[in-house]
Amino acid sequence: MPRASDVRRLKPFFRVVSTDEARAAIRALSALGAETIATRDAARRVLAADLVAPADLPHFDRANMDGYAVRAADTFGASPSVPMYLRIAGAIEMGETARTPLRRRQAMRIATGGMLPRGADAVVMVEHTDEVGDGTVEIQRGVSPWQHVLRVGEDIARGAPVFARGRRLRAQDLGALTGLGITRVRVHKRPRVGLIATGDEIVPPEKQPRPGQVRNINQFSLAAMASDAGALVTDFGVVSDRADRLRKALATALARTDVVMLSGGSSVGVKDLTTDVITSFPRSSMVFHGISVAPGKPTILARALDKPVVGLPGHPVSALVIFELFGAPLLRILGGEDPVAAFAPRAVTRARLAQNIASQAGREDYVRVRLSERAGVRVAEPLPGKSGAIFNLVSADGLVRIPASAEGIDEGVEVEVRLFE
């Protein structure tokens, strides 16, 4: 049994919140300012303004197949047994305006993307034709008006909404924008995140740790995850368990970044200094200290100098799971992404539990699972392990959520698996 003096020295959690309350607090954060950049540089950036189409796309009727531009009415009833014969009136070259109109009972060779001539309203696929050698093409299948044609504005019409603000631009989005002639876009600035690791026991990965010491794990994984979430990362290194040194490091990070994330020191032990150091700054407040979640209860969201400060657990599994669930969405929201999209899992799948999972009511649990196939059925196998074991997380394919209202999930129940990417 601990001595009374030891009990007195333990710090209580400041304010433990539910996962819903934690998400609500993060959703309340404001996105950073905006800047205008070249569309070619906008991959993974978040739009700061709605976009509408400045032009029709395409701006001319174009072939959607290789074949022959025709008047659809000239092909009605054509079949392999009863073909139609049309006179070839020439070919339409790619990138050129079709100047000669198409007359009745005529056809013109055309490639995918070519401009339909005036008078044409369909394309017969080359597979359904045969040139008979006297300037005539045999049509073996009839087409309906505008079949195999991409009409003016069919992709998108001038003035139509393109993308709404808050959208994170993907590679195909950039192609759509440049196809419309949009060469510059207004996007939110990327959040600058400062990472600080705390703990006398942490040593660089190139150093041989002595008994009681551990190599730095969190900093490298968190930097990669923050970058994937759209942030610009600055690593402020490892700080020992001294309030003056942690305060100096935090002051430096706050001066140079938009948000600071500290791993370690967020619990209630004697040497967990994070809360005291954060609240020593002007314009500071503690939003919450503790989330009813496992792993990762000792998580902090605070403000110092009016900037968000996140305290992550020190154990690697806890730190990385909490970052996946709350840290990455926070960075996406600061970067301008819609909060609903920011908290949505990047990828999910369904599987049946391979065994029972127990849980504690009132706490939202995230269980690491490995996916496999058994008799053609995808199953999720829970991976037991403690939050300090990084390879337990490495072996997992994703997480299964157990709601706070449940006391577990039974074997064989189909569950949603939040996949690691």
Side-chain angles (χ1 to χ4, degrees):
M1 184 174 181
R3 296 174 299 177
S5 59
D6 292 332
V7 174
R8 283 196 301 270
R9 294 176 67 194
L10 291 176
K11 302 175 183 178
F13 283 107
F14 178 83
R15 177 173 173 249
V16 179
V17 298
S18 68
T19 54
D20 286 342
E21 290 173 314
R23 294 185 188 100
I26 292 170
R27 288 191 190 99
L29 295 174
S30 299
L32 301 175
E35 59 186 346
T36 301
I37 63 173
T39 301
R40 71 180 67 205
D41 300 324
R44 305 299 301 156
R45 299 295 292 273
V46 178
L47 284 175
D50 297 339
L51 291 178
V52 297
D56 291 318
L57 188 66
H59 63 282
F60 59 90
D61 294 331
R62 57 188 297 186
N64 209 34
M65 293 285 180
D66 293 336
Y68 292 83
V70 298
R71 292 171 177 260
D74 291 337
T75 71
F76 290 168
S79 68
S81 58
V82 185
M84 298 288 186
Y85 293 91
L86 303 178
R87 185 170 61 84
I88 300 173
I92 300 165
E93 301 297 332
M94 290 295 296
E96 294 187 0
T97 300
R99 301 185 184 281
T100 304
L102 188 74
R103 303 189 186 282
R104 292 186 66 249
R105 310 295 299 173
Q106 288 184 341
M108 287 188 184
R109 300 184 188 94
I110 194 167
T112 301
M115 178 180 177
L116 256 67
R118 283 184 293 114
D121 63 359
V123 172
V124 179
M125 294 170 59
V126 69
E127 296 94 320
H128 303 146
T129 66
D130 186 22
E131 290 196 14
V132 296
D134 61 352
T136 302
V137 60
E138 181 181 88
I139 307 298
Q140 301 165 353
R141 181 176 295 181
V143 289
S144 57
W146 305 113
Q147 189 170 350
H148 307 313
V149 175
L150 196 62
R151 302 195 66 183
V152 170
E154 185 175 335
D155 201 355
I156 191 167
R158 180 176 181 173
V162 180
F163 300 131
R165 61 181 300 175
R167 180 186 181 93
R168 191 174 294 277
L169 295 173
R170 305 168 298 170
Q172 57 267 45
D173 297 341
L174 302 191
L177 295 177
T178 55
L180 285 167
I182 299 174
T183 59
R184 296 185 69 78
V185 289
R186 190 79 172 156
V187 296
H188 286 280
K189 294 179 180 179
R190 295 177 66 185
R192 301 169 300 165
V193 59
L195 297 180
I196 299 174
T198 65
D200 293 329
E201 75 280 10
I202 300 174
V203 298
E206 64 272 13
K207 183 175 180 179
Q208 179 63 42
R210 299 193 305 269
Q213 295 181 326
V214 293
R215 289 189 174 96
N216 191 353
I217 292 175
N218 292 356
Q219 210 75 339
F220 297 91
S221 293
L222 291 173
M225 294 174 77
S227 180
D228 286 345
L232 298 169
V233 181
T234 301
D235 186 347
F236 290 93
V238 180
V239 180
S240 62
D241 290 318
R242 284 181 46 180
D244 58 335
R245 293 183 180 179
L246 180 56
R247 194 181 194 285
K248 181 179 179 180
L250 183 55
T252 301
L254 286 169
R256 294 172 52 186
T257 64
D258 303 303
V259 55
V260 180
M261 294 189 172
L262 306 99
S263 63
S266 64
S267 192
V268 296
V270 175
K271 297 180 73 175
D272 292 330
L273 309 168
T274 304
T275 56
D276 292 341
V277 170
I278 293 172
T279 54
S280 71
F281 282 84
R283 305 189 303 283
S284 66
S285 61
M286 193 67 57
V287 180
F288 60 74
H289 181 195
I291 305 176
S292 295
V293 67
K297 178 180 179 180
T299 299
I300 292 171
L301 176 63
R303 298 191 73 88
L305 299 179
D306 289 331
K307 293 182 178 180
V309 178
V310 179
L312 299 167
H315 284 158
V317 171
S318 297
L320 302 187
V321 168
I322 288 296
F323 186 91
E324 169 75 13
L325 299 177
F326 299 98
L330 182 149
L331 293 179
R332 294 187 184 109
I333 288 170
L334 289 181
E337 192 168 325
D338 177 79
V340 174
F343 274 103
R346 304 294 102 176
V348 297
T349 190
R350 307 286 300 182
R352 295 195 178 277
L353 276 183
Q355 63 188 67
N356 296 340
I357 303 178
S359 179
Q360 176 180 314
R363 183 186 70 191
E364 190 168 288
D365 280 7
Y366 286 85
V367 179
R368 284 88 69 194
V369 297
R370 181 191 292 123
L371 297 173
S372 62
E373 297 283 337
R374 296 183 186 175
V377 176
R378 173 167 283 190
V379 297
E381 179 186 355
L383 295 177
K386 298 183 178 179
S387 57
I390 184 62
F391 276 91
N392 176 263
L393 191 61
V394 171
S395 300
D397 294 307
L399 300 170
V400 170
R401 171 183 172 269
I402 304 178
S405 59
E407 294 185 353
I409 305 177
D410 293 335
E411 176 184 350
V413 172
E414 186 178 72
V415 293
E416 182 178 89
V417 181
R418 181 183 184 126
L419 296 173
F420 296 133
E421 291 187 301

PDB file of all heavy atoms in Angstrom, residues 78-99:
ATOM      1  N   ALA A  78     -29.147  -0.646 -88.512  1.00  0.00           N
ATOM      2  CA  ALA A  78     -27.948  -1.363 -88.961  1.00  0.00           C
ATOM      3  C   ALA A  78     -27.618  -2.519 -88.032  1.00  0.00           C
ATOM      4  O   ALA A  78     -27.759  -2.416 -86.812  1.00  0.00           O
ATOM      5  CB  ALA A  78     -26.772  -0.398 -89.039  1.00  0.00           C
ATOM      6  N   SER A  79     -27.179  -3.626 -88.626  1.00  0.00           N
ATOM      7  CA  SER A  79     -26.788  -4.817 -87.872  1.00  0.00           C
ATOM      8  C   SER A  79     -25.757  -5.584 -88.691  1.00  0.00           C
ATOM      9  O   SER A  79     -25.561  -5.295 -89.885  1.00  0.00           O
ATOM     10  CB  SER A  79     -28.007  -5.701 -87.596  1.00  0.00           C
ATOM     11  OG  SER A  79     -28.496  -6.259 -88.808  1.00  0.00           O
ATOM     12  N   PRO A  80     -25.065  -6.563 -88.111  1.00  0.00           N
ATOM     13  CA  PRO A  80     -24.101  -7.342 -88.899  1.00  0.00           C
ATOM     14  C   PRO A  80     -24.733  -8.008 -90.121  1.00  0.00           C
ATOM     15  O   PRO A  80     -24.086  -8.141 -91.169  1.00  0.00           O
ATOM     16  CB  PRO A  80     -23.593  -8.373 -87.887  1.00  0.00           C
ATOM     17  CG  PRO A  80     -23.771  -7.711 -86.565  1.00  0.00           C
ATOM     18  CD  PRO A  80     -25.037  -6.917 -86.701  1.00  0.00           C
ATOM     19  N   SER A  81     -25.997  -8.407 -89.996  1.00  0.00           N
ATOM     20  CA  SER A  81     -26.641  -9.084 -91.127  1.00  0.00           C
ATOM     21  C   SER A  81     -27.240  -8.102 -92.134  1.00  0.00           C
ATOM     22  O   SER A  81     -27.380  -8.415 -93.322  1.00  0.00           O
ATOM     23  CB  SER A  81     -27.726 -10.038 -90.621  1.00  0.00           C
ATOM     24  OG  SER A  81     -28.697  -9.332 -89.863  1.00  0.00           O
ATOM     25  N   VAL A  82     -27.600  -6.917 -91.648  1.00  0.00           N
ATOM     26  CA  VAL A  82     -28.157  -5.889 -92.527  1.00  0.00           C
ATOM     27  C   VAL A  82     -27.422  -4.576 -92.260  1.00  0.00           C
ATOM     28  O   VAL A  82     -27.921  -3.679 -91.560  1.00  0.00           O
ATOM     29  CB  VAL A  82     -29.674  -5.708 -92.297  1.00  0.00           C
ATOM     30  CG1 VAL A  82     -30.247  -4.722 -93.330  1.00  0.00           C
ATOM     31  CG2 VAL A  82     -30.404  -7.023 -92.371  1.00  0.00           C
ATOM     32  N   PRO A  83     -26.173  -4.433 -92.756  1.00  0.00           N
ATOM     33  CA  PRO A  83     -25.396  -3.230 -92.476  1.00  0.00           C
ATOM     34  C   PRO A  83     -25.881  -2.036 -93.300  1.00  0.00           C
ATOM     35  O   PRO A  83     -26.590  -2.187 -94.300  1.00  0.00           O
ATOM     36  CB  PRO A  83     -23.982  -3.632 -92.871  1.00  0.00           C
ATOM     37  CG  PRO A  83     -24.180  -4.667 -93.936  1.00  0.00           C
ATOM     38  CD  PRO A  83     -25.435  -5.411 -93.569  1.00  0.00           C
ATOM     39  N   MET A  84     -25.464  -0.854 -92.858  1.00  0.00           N
ATOM     40  CA  MET A  84     -25.672   0.384 -93.605  1.00  0.00           C
ATOM     41  C   MET A  84     -24.322   0.788 -94.205  1.00  0.00           C
ATOM     42  O   MET A  84     -23.265   0.518 -93.625  1.00  0.00           O
ATOM     43  CB  MET A  84     -26.189   1.499 -92.686  1.00  0.00           C
ATOM     44  CG  MET A  84     -27.535   1.226 -92.043  1.00  0.00           C
ATOM     45  SD  MET A  84     -28.848   1.337 -93.251  1.00  0.00           S
ATOM     46  CE  MET A  84     -30.281   1.152 -92.181  1.00  0.00           C
ATOM     47  N   TYR A  85     -24.376   1.463 -95.362  1.00  0.00           N
ATOM     48  CA  TYR A  85     -23.150   1.889 -96.014  1.00  0.00           C
ATOM     49  C   TYR A  85     -23.152   3.406 -96.129  1.00  0.00           C
ATOM     50  O   TYR A  85     -24.110   4.008 -96.640  1.00  0.00           O
ATOM     51  CB  TYR A  85     -23.024   1.248 -97.396  1.00  0.00           C
ATOM     52  CG  TYR A  85     -22.819  -0.257 -97.302  1.00  0.00           C
ATOM     53  CD1 TYR A  85     -23.921  -1.116 -97.311  1.00  0.00           C
ATOM     54  CD2 TYR A  85     -21.548  -0.800 -97.186  1.00  0.00           C
ATOM     55  CE1 TYR A  85     -23.756  -2.488 -97.199  1.00  0.00           C
ATOM     56  CE2 TYR A  85     -21.366  -2.172 -97.073  1.00  0.00           C
ATOM     57  CZ  TYR A  85     -22.469  -3.008 -97.086  1.00  0.00           C
ATOM     58  OH  TYR A  85     -22.294  -4.367 -96.968  1.00  0.00           O
ATOM     59  N   LEU A  86     -22.061   4.026 -95.616  1.00  0.00           N
ATOM     60  CA  LEU A  86     -21.919   5.477 -95.655  1.00  0.00           C
ATOM     61  C   LEU A  86     -20.641   5.842 -96.387  1.00  0.00           C
ATOM     62  O   LEU A  86     -19.619   5.122 -96.298  1.00  0.00           O
ATOM     63  CB  LEU A  86     -21.898   6.057 -94.231  1.00  0.00           C
ATOM     64  CG  LEU A  86     -23.102   5.748 -93.327  1.00  0.00           C
ATOM     65  CD1 LEU A  86     -22.895   6.364 -91.955  1.00  0.00           C
ATOM     66  CD2 LEU A  86     -24.409   6.235 -93.947  1.00  0.00           C
ATOM     67  N   ARG A  87     -20.674   6.986 -97.054  1.00  0.00           N
ATOM     68  CA  ARG A  87     -19.483   7.452 -97.765  1.00  0.00           C
ATOM     69  C   ARG A  87     -18.551   8.164 -96.796  1.00  0.00           C
ATOM     70  O   ARG A  87     -18.995   8.991 -96.005  1.00  0.00           O
ATOM     71  CB  ARG A  87     -19.883   8.398 -98.902  1.00  0.00           C
ATOM     72  CG  ARG A  87     -18.689   8.839 -99.778  1.00  0.00           C
ATOM     73  CD  ARG A  87     -19.196   9.564-101.018  1.00  0.00           C
ATOM     74  NE  ARG A  87     -19.950  10.764-100.660  1.00  0.00           N
ATOM     75  CZ  ARG A  87     -19.370  11.946-100.404  1.00  0.00           C
ATOM     76  NH1 ARG A  87     -18.046  12.056-100.397  1.00  0.00           N
ATOM     77  NH2 ARG A  87     -20.126  12.983-100.110  1.00  0.00           N
ATOM     78  N   ILE A  88     -17.249   7.832 -96.867  1.00  0.00           N
ATOM     79  CA  ILE A  88     -16.253   8.452 -95.985  1.00  0.00           C
ATOM     80  C   ILE A  88     -15.910   9.826 -96.542  1.00  0.00           C
ATOM     81  O   ILE A  88     -15.394   9.944 -97.668  1.00  0.00           O
ATOM     82  CB  ILE A  88     -14.989   7.580 -95.866  1.00  0.00           C
ATOM     83  CG1 ILE A  88     -15.357   6.208 -95.282  1.00  0.00           C
ATOM     84  CG2 ILE A  88     -13.946   8.269 -94.977  1.00  0.00           C
ATOM     85  CD1 ILE A  88     -14.206   5.223 -95.291  1.00  0.00           C
ATOM     86  N   ALA A  89     -16.190  10.854 -95.749  1.00  0.00           N
ATOM     87  CA  ALA A  89     -15.999  12.235 -96.209  1.00  0.00           C
ATOM     88  C   ALA A  89     -14.702  12.839 -95.694  1.00  0.00           C
ATOM     89  O   ALA A  89     -14.499  14.053 -95.795  1.00  0.00           O
ATOM     90  CB  ALA A  89     -17.180  13.086 -95.782  1.00  0.00           C
ATOM     91  N   GLY A  90     -13.830  12.031 -95.120  1.00  0.00           N
ATOM     92  CA  GLY A  90     -12.557  12.531 -94.621  1.00  0.00           C
ATOM     93  C   GLY A  90     -12.282  12.083 -93.202  1.00  0.00           C
ATOM     94  O   GLY A  90     -12.947  11.179 -92.676  1.00  0.00           O
ATOM     95  N   ALA A  91     -11.284  12.708 -92.589  1.00  0.00           N
ATOM     96  CA  ALA A  91     -10.877  12.368 -91.222  1.00  0.00           C
ATOM     97  C   ALA A  91     -10.733  13.643 -90.417  1.00  0.00           C
ATOM     98  O   ALA A  91     -10.364  14.700 -90.952  1.00  0.00           O
ATOM     99  CB  ALA A  91      -9.572  11.587 -91.223  1.00  0.00           C
ATOM    100  N   ILE A  92     -11.019  13.561 -89.138  1.00  0.00           N
ATOM    101  CA  ILE A  92     -10.885  14.692 -88.225  1.00  0.00           C
ATOM    102  C   ILE A  92      -9.593  14.518 -87.437  1.00  0.00           C
ATOM    103  O   ILE A  92      -9.427  13.537 -86.702  1.00  0.00           O
ATOM    104  CB  ILE A  92     -12.094  14.771 -87.276  1.00  0.00           C
ATOM    105  CG1 ILE A  92     -13.384  14.937 -88.085  1.00  0.00           C
ATOM    106  CG2 ILE A  92     -11.930  15.920 -86.285  1.00  0.00           C
ATOM    107  CD1 ILE A  92     -14.629  14.659 -87.300  1.00  0.00           C
ATOM    108  N   GLU A  93      -8.668  15.426 -87.617  1.00  0.00           N
ATOM    109  CA  GLU A  93      -7.380  15.334 -86.939  1.00  0.00           C
ATOM    110  C   GLU A  93      -7.500  15.823 -85.500  1.00  0.00           C
ATOM    111  O   GLU A  93      -8.253  16.757 -85.203  1.00  0.00           O
ATOM    112  CB  GLU A  93      -6.320  16.159 -87.686  1.00  0.00           C
ATOM    113  CG  GLU A  93      -6.108  15.739 -89.141  1.00  0.00           C
ATOM    114  CD  GLU A  93      -5.594  14.324 -89.275  1.00  0.00           C
ATOM    115  OE1 GLU A  93      -4.921  13.852 -88.338  1.00  0.00           O
ATOM    116  OE2 GLU A  93      -5.860  13.681 -90.311  1.00  0.00           O
ATOM    117  N   MET A  94      -6.748  15.185 -84.627  1.00  0.00           N
ATOM    118  CA  MET A  94      -6.764  15.583 -83.212  1.00  0.00           C
ATOM    119  C   MET A  94      -6.243  17.005 -83.057  1.00  0.00           C
ATOM    120  O   MET A  94      -5.255  17.388 -83.670  1.00  0.00           O
ATOM    121  CB  MET A  94      -5.915  14.617 -82.381  1.00  0.00           C
ATOM    122  CG  MET A  94      -6.521  13.240 -82.244  1.00  0.00           C
ATOM    123  SD  MET A  94      -8.077  13.259 -81.309  1.00  0.00           S
ATOM    124  CE  MET A  94      -7.484  13.801 -79.712  1.00  0.00           C
ATOM    125  N   GLY A  95      -6.920  17.766 -82.196  1.00  0.00           N
ATOM    126  CA  GLY A  95      -6.481  19.116 -81.900  1.00  0.00           C
ATOM    127  C   GLY A  95      -6.882  20.143 -82.931  1.00  0.00           C
ATOM    128  O   GLY A  95      -6.520  21.313 -82.803  1.00  0.00           O
ATOM    129  N   GLU A  96      -7.637  19.724 -83.972  1.00  0.00           N
ATOM    130  CA  GLU A  96      -8.042  20.657 -85.017  1.00  0.00           C
ATOM    131  C   GLU A  96      -9.551  20.858 -85.001  1.00  0.00           C
ATOM    132  O   GLU A  96     -10.315  19.964 -84.621  1.00  0.00           O
ATOM    133  CB  GLU A  96      -7.602  20.152 -86.390  1.00  0.00           C
ATOM    134  CG  GLU A  96      -6.094  20.116 -86.564  1.00  0.00           C
ATOM    135  CD  GLU A  96      -5.703  19.774 -87.995  1.00  0.00           C
ATOM    136  OE1 GLU A  96      -6.622  19.563 -88.823  1.00  0.00           O
ATOM    137  OE2 GLU A  96      -4.498  19.712 -88.273  1.00  0.00           O
ATOM    138  N   THR A  97      -9.975  22.033 -85.456  1.00  0.00           N
ATOM    139  CA  THR A  97     -11.400  22.320 -85.577  1.00  0.00           C
ATOM    140  C   THR A  97     -11.965  21.607 -86.792  1.00  0.00           C
ATOM    141  O   THR A  97     -11.369  21.652 -87.882  1.00  0.00           O
ATOM    142  CB  THR A  97     -11.631  23.834 -85.716  1.00  0.00           C
ATOM    143  OG1 THR A  97     -11.115  24.489 -84.563  1.00  0.00           O
ATOM    144  CG2 THR A  97     -13.120  24.160 -85.850  1.00  0.00           C
ATOM    145  N   ALA A  98     -13.079  20.922 -86.601  1.00  0.00           N
ATOM    146  CA  ALA A  98     -13.743  20.249 -87.726  1.00  0.00           C
ATOM    147  C   ALA A  98     -14.472  21.306 -88.554  1.00  0.00           C
ATOM    148  O   ALA A  98     -15.523  21.813 -88.143  1.00  0.00           O
ATOM    149  CB  ALA A  98     -14.708  19.195 -87.203  1.00  0.00           C
ATOM    150  N   ARG A  99     -13.935  21.651 -89.723  1.00  0.00           N
ATOM    151  CA  ARG A  99     -14.471  22.763 -90.505  1.00  0.00           C
ATOM    152  C   ARG A  99     -15.527  22.318 -91.525  1.00  0.00           C
ATOM    153  O   ARG A  99     -16.420  23.082 -91.870  1.00  0.00           O
ATOM    154  CB  ARG A  99     -13.331  23.490 -91.229  1.00  0.00           C
ATOM    155  CG  ARG A  99     -12.279  24.028 -90.234  1.00  0.00           C
ATOM    156  CD  ARG A  99     -11.212  24.854 -90.943  1.00  0.00           C
ATOM    157  NE  ARG A  99     -10.176  25.271 -90.008  1.00  0.00           N
ATOM    158  CZ  ARG A  99     -10.288  26.277 -89.159  1.00  0.00           C
ATOM    159  NH1 ARG A  99     -11.415  26.987 -89.129  1.00  0.00           N
ATOM    160  NH2 ARG A  99      -9.297  26.585 -88.348  1.00  0.00           N
TER     161      ARG A  99
END
